[in-house]
DNA sequence: CGACTGACACTAT
DNA sequence: TATAGTGCCAGTC
């Protein structure tokens, strides 16, 4: 605890900022934190975040839109169901309309859909 | 203190 | 285009 706590805190802060019906990737979060290579750490932070209800970890997926962390949720399809309930379409643990629901952590306004060509 | 692990991402084959 | 291997940072054993 101490410095690392800050790191985790940042990750949580970003994840909490994810709007309803939107998702983001570990890499983008890591990039937002200033460490693209620490994408794995984001996932690790999520692991610890699993203990925190205020963190919508189900809105965090890998860059392929694949629900890699769904296995870490209680139910088998809990993560998928949560996302689907938010209007996100998932097929075979993969987000179909990924580019539509993809959201990038930004300090600016919440915006809506400026990132279409990014992926 | 050293080694292994991990909810990823990128590059190369 | 798909699969395999490597790099990365932080935490835990």
């Amino acid at each position: 605890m101490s410095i690392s706590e800050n790191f985790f805190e940042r990750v949580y802060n970003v994840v909490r900022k994810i709007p309803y019906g939107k998702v983001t990737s570990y890499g983008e979060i890591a990039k937002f934190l200033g460490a693209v290579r620490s994408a794995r750490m984001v996932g690790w932070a999520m692991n610890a975040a699993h203990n925190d209800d205020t963190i919508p970890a189900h809105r965090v997926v890998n860059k392929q839109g694949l629900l890699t962390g769904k296995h870490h949720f209680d139910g088998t399809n809990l993560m998928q169901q949560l996302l689907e309930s938010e209007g996100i379409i998932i097929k075979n643990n993969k987000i179909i309309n990924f580019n539509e629901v993809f959201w990038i952590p930004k300090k600016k306004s919440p915006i809506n859909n400026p990132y279409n060509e990014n992926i």
Side-chain angles (χ1 to χ4, degrees), chain A residues 20 24 30 38 40 43 47 72 76 78 81 86 91 117 119:
Chain A
Y20 181 90
T24 189
S38 303
R40 313 185 85 187
N47 188 6
H72 286 264
T76 322
L78 178 60
Q81 289 177 6
E86 295 187 1
K91 193 78 173 181
E117 48 185 279
I119 285 287

Side-chain angles (χ1 to χ4, degrees), chain A residues 1-10:
Chain A
M1 334 264 267
S2 34
I3 348 178
S4 17
E5 190 175 281
N6 190 6
F7 181 84
F8 277 55
E9 196 69 31
R10 294 184 208 176

Side-chain angles (χ1 to χ4, degrees), chain A residues 4-43:
Chain A
S4 17
E5 190 175 281
N6 190 6
F7 181 84
F8 277 55
E9 196 69 31
R10 294 184 208 176
V11 177
Y12 300 155
N13 186 24
V14 175
V15 175
R16 273 189 273 234
K17 278 192 277 189
I18 302 177
Y20 181 90
K22 296 288 182 178
V23 297
T24 189
S25 69
Y26 303 91
E28 290 301 327
I29 296 176
K31 189 181 299 180
F32 179 80
L33 296 177
V36 187
R37 308 160 180 84
S38 303
R40 313 185 85 187
M41 295 304 89
V42 178

